[in-house]
Amino acid sequence: MGNSQAGKTLFVAGGSSGINLGIARCFAREGANVALISRSPEKIAIAAAEIAEINGGRAIGIAADVRDYAAVEAALKATHDKFGDIDTVISGAAGNFVAPALGMSANGFKTVVDIDLIGTFNVLRASFAFLRKPGASLISITAGQATRASMFQAHVCAAKAGINMLTQCLALEWGPAGVRVNAISPGPIADTEGMARLATTPEAEARVKARVPMRRYGTKDEIGEAALFLSSDAARYINGAILPVDGGSGCGDGAGDALGNFGAASYS
Ligand code: NAP
Ligand code: COA
């Protein structure tokens, strides 16, 4: 337990599971008040109860779909009414499935863009009125697909690319108010729904790890600690950054596949 977040408030969109709940755990351990939203009333209640165990009862969970601007705004207002000005916002709600563009209906493509990109606009736009100004830190959760085209991920690639640009546009507009807007781009993270959908067999998992220069999946705590850094005073001049927390996966061909697998050689 630390106290670097004592007296501060975190709002997490998509906070009922996975990486986003992991971020909430890290902030709760540092003493933050925490508000979580996601679609499922059952999942969000369980997640909020878990966070309340960590931070002494200062957690609320609200069922809200990020595609519904009014619901998001109401959740932010309820958070502000309970805890006061919001210091950190995580926009991490997302959907993914693996499908070729020709196997995806227009509604399938739109659904992911609606949740990831429009949802992020809704969360960040609606949060502005409730933020600590100056001082707030807004962090979207993007992905490597934003800058690297991937087979069967046209919807996610398009949506996450939009999030990266939205991050930088809002950094320009809101920097003068003392609100920093950044994004974290996680690599493959262990024990998450995202990787369960993308690497469905042990062989696929091994192939993913072979492409990561660190040769392993990351952990939810490693993303949470990066979010704590971006929210801290140590990051006070970091604005408009897309921070990879990916073991180097975004640097290029970490397995050396294109060069006869030279990159997979071990150095001892
Ligand atoms: P996850 O556990 O499925 O997290 C997604 C969260 O979003 C859930 O809490 C889900 O809860 C919520 N959600 C989904 N649709 C929503 C909506 N319309 N409105 C509100 N909440 C919604 O998956 P994860 O793998 O941890 O992914 C978390 C984030 O990290 C995502 O932004 C993902 O793109 C990003 N990411 C993940 C990885 C990875 O390795 N897993 C890598 C790079 C980036 P409900 O079902 O209750 O709504
Ligand atoms: N392949 C092709 N299309 C698919 C699909 C798949 N595997 N899964 C869903 N779709 C399509 C549906 O067919 C539908 O299109 P249609 O109306 O033309 O038939 C469209 O996507 C919306 O599906 P629906 O189930 O109504 O959406 P939803 O809003 O209830 O759920 C999803 C959103 C589809 C993204 C769902 O997977 C989800 O809730 N994901 C959240 C968890 C997650 O993905 N975690 C990982 C985060 S990285």
Side-chain angles (χ1 to χ4, degrees):
M1 281 296 264
N3 64 0
S4 65
Q5 290 286 320
K8 296 189 173 182
T9 296
L10 169 76
F11 180 93
V12 185
S16 64
S17 59
I19 289 174
N20 305 317
L21 179 57
I23 293 172
R25 284 192 196 104
C26 286
F27 276 69
R29 282 187 218 123
E30 288 295 323
N33 309 314
V34 175
L36 307 172
I37 69 165
S38 84
R39 293 167 302 179
S40 158
E42 294 80 23
K43 281 173 61 181
I44 207 68
I46 291 168
E50 185 201 324
I51 297 298
E53 283 285 310
I54 300 173
N55 73 359
R58 286 172 291 105
I60 53 172
I62 299 169
D65 192 315
V66 294
R67 292 169 285 190
D68 178 346
Y69 188 88
V72 169
E73 192 173 40
L76 284 153
K77 182 173 185 313
T79 303
H80 190 264
D81 288 348
K82 188 164 176 66
F83 297 128
D85 288 350
I86 298 171
D87 296 278
T88 305
V89 174
I90 304 292
S91 177
N96 193 1
F97 52 82
V98 176
L102 292 177
M104 197 184 290
S105 67
N107 190 46
F109 185 87
K110 178 179 184 298
T111 296
V112 169
V113 172
D114 276 349
I115 300 172
D116 292 31
L117 176 56
I118 310 294
T120 291
F121 178 79
N122 290 344
V123 168
L124 301 184
R125 167 71 180 83
S127 75
F128 192 83
F130 304 106
L131 299 175
R132 187 178 309 287
K133 295 187 280 287
S137 168
L138 311 187
I139 303 168
S140 295
I141 308 300
T142 182
Q145 288 98 322
T147 52
R148 196 171 54 243
S150 306
M151 297 284 279
F152 312 139
Q153 290 281 274
H155 48 350
V156 174
C157 290
K160 294 293 194 183
I163 288 175
N164 285 18
M165 187 47 80
L166 179 63
T167 299
Q168 296 188 321
C169 289
L170 297 184
L172 296 182
E173 293 194 20
W174 295 352
V179 173
R180 295 180 297 108
V181 189
N182 296 293
I184 290 174
S185 182
I189 302 302
D191 304 320
T192 60
E193 183 60 27
M195 287 318 296
R197 289 178 183 223
L198 291 174
T200 53
T201 63
E203 295 71 31
E205 225 179 84
R207 277 198 302 276
V208 173
K209 286 178 186 163
R211 286 198 292 266
V212 180
M214 304 296 289
R215 297 288 188 264
R216 65 171 176 83
Y217 278 0
T219 67
K220 293 168 205 163
D221 272 0
E222 285 166 343
I223 305 302
E225 285 163 25
L228 278 171
F229 164 68
L230 280 180
S231 299
S232 76
D233 199 45
R236 63 192 173 276
Y237 203 53
I238 299 181
N239 187 30
I242 313 293
L243 178 66
V245 184
D246 64 0
S249 339
C251 297
D253 175 15
D257 286 339
L259 292 170
N261 219 25
F262 294 158
S266 60
Y267 298 90
S268 52

